[in-house]
Amino acid sequence: LHLVGNALIGGTLGVTGNSTFTALVGINKAVNGSVGLSVGSDASNATSYGLEVTNSSSNTRFLVDGLGSQRFYGSDNAETARFKDGKVGIGTTSPSSNVEISSSDDTRFQVTDTGDSSTFWIRGDGDNTSIGNTTNHPLAFIINNSERMRIDTSGNLLVGATSGSAHILSKSTASGGMLEIINSSTTAPSGAAFKFSHQNPNDGTSTFFTTNDSSAYRGGWLSNGGVQNYQANNSNLSDR
């Protein structure tokens, strides 16, 4: 079959051999009618193509093979993406997850908000895997549709808070402990270490640990090993 101009076919057209159409082909399906265009393959294998859409040199194309996979090819005629069994593979012909991205080096998934110029990516490069962004925006962690933790643009870790100046800040309105450290080692276990690597150990003004209530400073553990007195019910208690 060879059509040079426009063609209107009111009935059913069956083509068993090769066909060439040099003009546009319009296929119109009646509302709630049968399928407007059905292209099939009589062989169930990856090399039998039920549908192929390509440019004149066949180096950029889309095709559906006999196994039902949809493939996309780039300008160098190399496969760039594939839909297979409800999974999307980019850089792989056999995706094992709902979405899988694969490459030989520096593989990343990136989301960009052009309105706020923010980006988020998941990246695998060499021996390193990372999650984060390349813009000056905080990284928040959402649980049950509520923010639970974030890393701000200064590198501070904030738990239960959206702003703060401490390197690690945890806020809570719930009862119970704010911090719990457990070491299950049976050989010389230790809890937590606080170090000032460049501070004079005899300096009595640097504090490793402080205690405050809602209204006042109550006490501290100094870098020289001293423990400051603290107040409870407005009475000074002696060090022990």
Side-chain angles (χ1 to χ4, degrees):
L1 175 64
H2 181 75
L3 298 178
V4 178
N6 296 326
L8 175 62
I9 301 173
T12 301
L13 173 65
V15 180
T16 57
N18 295 328
S19 300
T20 302
F21 298 90
T22 59
L24 294 177
V25 177
I27 300 173
N28 186 25
K29 177 179 76 69
V31 177
N32 297 325
S34 59
V35 176
L37 173 65
S38 178
V39 181
S41 173
D42 58 0
S44 298
N45 57 64
T47 59
S48 176
Y49 305 145
L51 174 65
E52 182 176 14
V53 181
T54 181
N55 64 357
S56 58
S57 57
S58 297
N59 59 6
T60 302
R61 55 186 175 139
F62 163 77
L63 61 85
V64 179
D65 64 26
L67 297 179
S69 296
Q70 299 90 51
R71 310 187 202 174
F72 296 85
Y73 290 79
S75 58
D76 56 355
N77 201 27
E79 184 174 335
T80 56
R82 175 180 296 205
F83 290 86
K84 180 181 180 181
D85 300 328
K87 299 179 176 65
V88 180
I90 301 176
T92 176
T93 60
S94 55
S96 58
S97 302
N98 291 339
V99 178
E100 182 175 346
I101 303 174
S102 178
S103 71
S104 60
D105 183 53
D106 195 6
T107 305
R108 68 178 68 187
F109 170 80
Q110 180 167 307
V111 178
T112 301
D113 180 353
T114 57
D116 296 315
S117 300
S118 62
T119 64
F120 165 80
W121 48 248
I122 301 173
R123 180 181 182 185
D125 184 15
D127 296 331
N128 300 313
T129 56
S130 57
I131 179 173
N133 59 51
T134 57
T135 55
N136 190 32
H137 294 86
L139 179 64
F141 297 84
I142 311 299
I143 305 296
N144 196 24
N145 204 33
S146 296
E147 181 175 328
R148 303 301 184 186
M149 182 175 69
R150 72 166 47 198
I151 301 174
D152 66 16
T153 56
S154 297
N156 299 325
L157 176 62
L158 309 175
V159 180
T162 58
S163 63
S165 58
H167 288 302
I168 300 177
L169 172 65
S170 178
K171 286 186 177 181
S172 176
T173 59
S175 60
M178 291 286 293
L179 175 65
E180 184 174 357
I181 300 174
I182 300 175
N183 188 336
S184 59
S185 173
T186 59
T187 305
S190 60
F194 300 90
K195 298 180 179 180
F196 290 162
S197 59
H198 297 288
Q199 181 60 46
N200 186 338
N202 293 320
D203 185 354
T205 61
S206 299
T207 308
F208 279 129
F209 185 80
T210 61
T211 58
N212 298 71
D213 63 14
S214 60
S215 61
Y217 169 79
R218 294 304 184 185
W221 178 13
L222 303 180
S223 62
N224 62 4
V227 178
Q228 288 182 325
N229 288 339
Y230 61 96
Q231 289 184 336
N233 298 323
N234 296 322
S235 298
N236 290 329
L237 300 181
S238 301
D239 295 335
R240 294 185 179 181

